[in-house]
Amino acid sequence: MDTTIDLARVLDSHRQWMERGEGDRANLSGADLRYADLSGADLSGADLRYADLSGANLLGAILRYADLSGANLHDANLRYADLSGADLSDANLRGADLRYANLSGADLSGADLLGANLRYADLLDANLLGLLPE
């Protein structure tokens, strides 16, 4: 059984869903997107629950209100990404580069941010419940 994702098709259908209400909202729940280049991609409102985005390039990606709960973003590049209102609860963000990322209103409850770079990130109104220093 071929489980390969046609990422270009998923992104195009998601764009149509956002722009015209046609196509489908991106459902990449549980997808293997390790080291994927999603720089600049608009995945607003996408379902990325438990997706493996470790090492992925999400530079400048738009992930407003996306569901990334339980996702693996270990060592991902999220510089300048817009994650406002996103659900990152219980996500693995170890070593992630979140410099200049917009995390305003994001849910980071229970997320693992060990070694993550949050320099200049916007955390206004973000839910940081359960984030305790080691």
Side-chain angles (χ1 to χ4, degrees):
M1 179 171 162
D2 185 15
T3 58
T4 305
I5 297 168
D6 184 351
L7 198 51
R9 186 192 60 73
V10 170
L11 292 172
D12 184 55
S13 184
H14 186 75
R15 182 184 51 74
Q16 290 176 34
W17 173 75
M18 288 190 312
E19 291 176 358
R20 300 188 294 268
E22 301 169 2
D24 296 307
R25 178 179 95 145
N27 182 351
L28 295 164
S29 179
D32 182 355
L33 298 168
R34 289 174 290 179
Y35 303 102
D37 184 3
L38 293 165
S39 55
D42 189 344
L43 285 163
S44 298
D47 183 353
L48 291 151
R49 289 172 297 148
Y50 301 101
D52 188 350
L53 290 149
S54 53
N57 181 12
L58 292 148
L59 174 71
I62 304 166
L63 294 152
R64 288 184 209 113
Y65 299 99
D67 189 347
L68 290 143
S69 56
N72 182 5
L73 292 147
H74 184 266
D75 288 333
N77 177 6
L78 290 151
R79 272 180 293 143
Y80 298 100
D82 184 352
L83 293 147
S84 54
D87 184 351
L88 290 152
S89 58
D90 300 314
N92 176 2
L93 289 155
R94 281 182 172 239
D97 187 352
L98 290 151
R99 287 177 291 169
Y100 300 98
N102 180 358
L103 292 155
S104 60
D107 183 0
L108 289 156
S109 59
D112 185 348
L113 289 160
L114 185 69
N117 188 342
L118 289 155
R119 184 167 294 184
Y120 306 116
D122 182 354
L123 292 161
L124 181 69
D125 294 325
N127 180 357
L128 304 174
L129 189 66
L131 297 181
L132 298 173
E134 299 256 336

